[in-house]
Each structure stands twice: as C-alpha cells, then as structure tokens.
Amino acid sequence: MRKLKKIAAALLSSSLIISVVSAVAAQEQERVTPMFLSVTGQVMEIYPVPNEDGEPVYGQSLIRVTGDSGTTMFHTDYNTFVLGDEVQLGDTITGYYPSNAPMTMIYPPRHTMQLIVNGEFTNVHIDRFHADSERDALVSSDGSLQLSIGGHTQVILQDGQPFDGNLDGRILVAVYGPTTRSIPAITLPDSLETIVVLFERVVVLPQDIDPGMLEQIDEYIVWEHAEESADEPFAFASNNGMFINGARVDFTWQQVEDSFLVPVRATAEELGASVSWNYDTREVTVEGMNGTIIFPVGSADFAVNGVVVSLAHPSMLIGDTTYVPILFFRDVFGMNNAYMHAGEAHIDNEEPMR
C-alpha cells in the first residue's frame, strides 16, 4: 500500500512538473515578437544610395557594418534617428529596424534603420509604448519595460525640440540606467534620462477626417504617404515654418500639388541677395552668391550667368508674391542645403547632406 502511495505521489509530482513545463512553453509561444530587431558591428564603409542612373539619392546613405553576424548594410534616410555621435568609419554602432519590414533576398542583407546608436549608453530601448492605467505608467509593446518618468527626464522629438504631448501609443527611444529585476523591468526614479519621440509615417489625410482625430494626427510628423495613395500629392500634416541658416524667419513655404515652394524675394534677401522685377518681361532677377539669375515667372528654366538650369517644377505667382521650388536655392542659387523636414523648410550652408 505504501508503495502504491509513493508511486501515486511520484506520478502526481511528475504531472505537476509536466504541467509547469507546459505552462512555461505556452508562455514562450505567447511571448510578443519584438517590434524592432538589432544588428551591431563596426562601420567599414559609408556611401550614398545610388539611383538607377548611378546618381546619389538625396538624403539617403548606406553603411556597411561587419560584426559577429557577418556583414550588414544599414540603409539610412530622413527617418533614421542617430543617438549619440555622428557615424564615422571605424565606429561600432547598433542599428534597429522594424521586425515586420520586408527584406530583400540579397547578400549582404540590407535593413532600413529607424534608430542607430553610436556611443556609450547604459541601456537603450526602442518600442511603441502604451499607457497602462493600472500601473499609471508607460509599458513597451513587448511587455519588457515600464517607464517611470521623473522630473529630470528629458522628453524631446528626434530633431531635438522639446515635446510635451501625449506619449501613449508613440514609438519612443528610452535611454536609462538601472532597472528593477521584475517583469516588466521598471526604470528606477532617477534612472530614466531621456525619452526621444520618433517621427512617424502616416497616410495622406482624407478630406472628411474628424477634427478631433486631426488634432491627434497633427502631432505626428509626415514623411511620406502610403503606397496605395501614390497618385495623391505628398503632404505634411502641418506647416511648421521656414528656417534659414538655422534661424526661423517670419515668412513660410507653400505647397502646390506635389511641389514645395518658397518666396524668392524674402528668402533671397534674407541670404543677402538683391531681387528685382521687370514688369515688361515679367522676369525676376536675383543678384546672389552664384552671380546673376534671371527667370520668367511660370518657367522651370533659370538662367545663371546665361547658363540655363532646369528644375522639375516652375516658379509661380501666388497672390502678389513670386515663389520658386525650394531646390532653387540649392541647385540654382548655390546654397549647400535646401530641403523639407518635418513640415519645415530648411535652407542653409551647413555641410552638404547626402
């Protein structure tokens, strides 16, 4: 009888062990797939992304990285946020890319990076965080990290501007120190150093969008419309003004169809050039850093010291102001950079962007 009891106890014990193992296995299966995957390696080469004609694509680059997992190509664009130092040859960097992004079957593998970390940080986590009412905190979508925001925590957009909006549902980069050993890990009161709110891609807004929803969407920075809306003109969610050599000016850009235009007189004079208007020929003359520029309003051809430079879009008269494509100030006027970024028009002589 005692043997039967021992056997029964042993069977019960084995059953409990099997149940526990099965429960753990089930939890492993239910574990949420991380929103972002990462690759770490040393930078071996940096060069611009070529188009079909071999010309560099403006604002995009490829970084060849070699690490324990072999060679990987980091594709960067305007949406890539670099945390830490500017990437240089020889640096050891970590790139984060969406786990659900389609991957081309080429070698070495190429990933479009949302985040690149270059520098010494105790902990960095990128994920979409949601407000948890029970915990009164933000919890990552993979359930691994809970953010306890303190008074010292810096909350900024990825362009460095302060952010005081709603963090619920946003993709965040959390930079922090020690955490608890709980599940999820919780940042200690003084350990959460910085939260970076990343820009997001959204579709072109429909005409009948609810005003309340528009206010929420307007917090997001629009980079490009969805592929299914490719026949629609690209549009930013908001007009955030113009910046010339880093300083905000009191005039702004306009959008006509898929062209972004800036006022030629106000912009050129802000850059130290002079502008005149010929009423008889309806031509604008700009005396600037590249010499004399003459063009008729409504034309996409601009004569620079007699040599014609053609742009994809013409100049336009809007009201009583002549506007030119923003690239006029790079490709015709001669500035190093002229581009749209996060609903802002930027024209400057900083290091030329690739």
Side-chain angles (χ1 to χ4, degrees):
M1 189 67 177
R2 289 181 180 177
K3 287 184 179 181
L4 289 175
K5 288 183 178 180
K6 288 181 179 179
I7 291 173
L11 288 173
L12 179 59
S13 176
S14 300
S15 177
L16 289 172
I17 292 173
I18 292 172
S19 298
V20 170
V21 171
S22 298
V24 171
Q27 290 178 356
E28 291 291 334
Q29 290 178 353
E30 293 175 359
R31 181 172 294 175
V32 178
T33 302
M35 187 176 178
F36 292 91
L37 302 176
S38 65
V39 179
T40 300
Q42 185 177 27
V43 177
M44 309 304 293
E45 190 177 8
I46 305 174
Y47 56 91
V49 174
N51 61 18
E52 293 179 355
D53 299 324
E55 298 295 325
V57 178
Y58 190 62
Q60 299 188 35
S61 63
L62 286 171
I63 305 174
R64 182 166 64 88
V65 171
T66 300
D68 293 340
S69 58
T71 298
T72 304
M73 302 301 295
F74 287 19
H75 175 218
T76 69
D77 58 19
Y78 292 122
N79 203 46
T80 304
F81 172 59
V82 178
L83 175 65
D85 301 325
E86 181 182 355
V87 177
Q88 305 285 347
L89 291 177
D91 290 346
T92 297
I93 63 176
T94 299
Y96 295 81
Y97 61 94
S99 59
N100 62 351
M103 189 176 73
T104 54
M105 301 303 292
I106 59 175
Y107 183 83
R110 179 186 298 188
H111 303 288
T112 299
M113 296 300 174
Q114 180 99 36
L115 167 68
I116 292 178
V117 178
N118 185 24
E120 295 296 328
F121 299 92
T122 305
N123 292 299
V124 176
H125 190 90
I126 175 174
D127 206 335
R128 190 178 297 283
F129 284 77
H130 296 278
D132 187 317
S133 57
E134 292 183 3
R135 296 187 175 98
D136 191 25
L138 290 165
V139 179
S140 60
S141 64
D142 65 3
S144 67
L145 182 65
Q146 176 179 319
L147 301 181
S148 297
I149 301 176
H152 64 286
T153 304
Q154 182 185 36
V155 183
I156 57 175
L157 285 166
Q158 72 177 64
D159 61 1
Q161 298 298 315
F163 182 81
D164 59 1
N166 187 5
L167 297 176
D168 183 21
R170 300 299 294 267
I171 297 179
L172 308 177
V173 176
V175 183
Y176 57 98
T179 64
T180 64
R181 295 185 178 181
S182 59
I183 299 177
I186 304 172
T187 57
L188 299 178
D190 296 327
S191 69
L192 183 56
E193 302 168 10
T194 305
I195 293 176
V196 182
V197 184
L198 296 190
F199 297 149
E200 304 240 18
R201 301 176 189 270
V202 300
V203 300
V204 172
L205 304 181
Q207 295 297 318
D208 57 351
I209 189 167
D210 177 79
M213 190 175 188
L214 177 61
E215 182 180 353
Q216 179 181 359
I217 290 178
D218 196 51
E219 293 180 355
Y220 290 77
I221 307 302
V222 181
W223 284 100
E224 64 184 9
H225 54 69
E227 291 183 4
E228 59 268 21
S229 304
D231 57 339
E232 297 287 340
F234 173 88
F236 287 98
S238 57
N239 187 322
N240 295 324
M242 283 186 61
F243 294 80
I244 296 179
N245 288 322
R248 181 187 286 274
V249 293
D250 59 2
F251 47 89
T252 191
W253 54 271
Q254 299 281 343
Q255 180 177 2
V256 177
E257 296 180 347
D258 59 349
S259 181
F260 294 97
L261 308 169
V262 297
V264 64
R265 179 184 292 275
T267 306
E269 290 180 349
E270 188 72 23
L271 292 167
S274 62
V275 181
S276 60
W277 166 252
N278 187 316
Y279 287 92
D280 296 329
T281 62
R282 292 181 59 83
E283 288 182 330
V284 176
T285 299
V286 179
E287 299 286 351
M289 57 192 298
N290 265 4
T292 302
I293 303 168
I294 301 175
F295 62 93
V297 175
S299 172
D301 296 330
F302 303 84
V304 185
N305 299 322
V307 178
V308 174
V309 177
S310 297
L311 298 180
H313 299 280
S315 58
M316 298 184 67
L317 192 64
I318 303 176
D320 58 355
T321 301
T322 300
Y323 283 77
V324 293
I326 188 171
L327 287 180
F328 167 90
F329 283 96
R330 186 192 71 179
D331 299 342
V332 180
F333 190 87
M335 298 294 287
N336 284 348
N337 300 302
Y339 60 94
M340 298 299 300
H341 170 82
E344 301 170 350
H346 286 265
I347 298 171
D348 60 54
N349 257 337
E350 298 294 326
E351 182 179 350
M353 298 177 62
R354 289 192 292 270

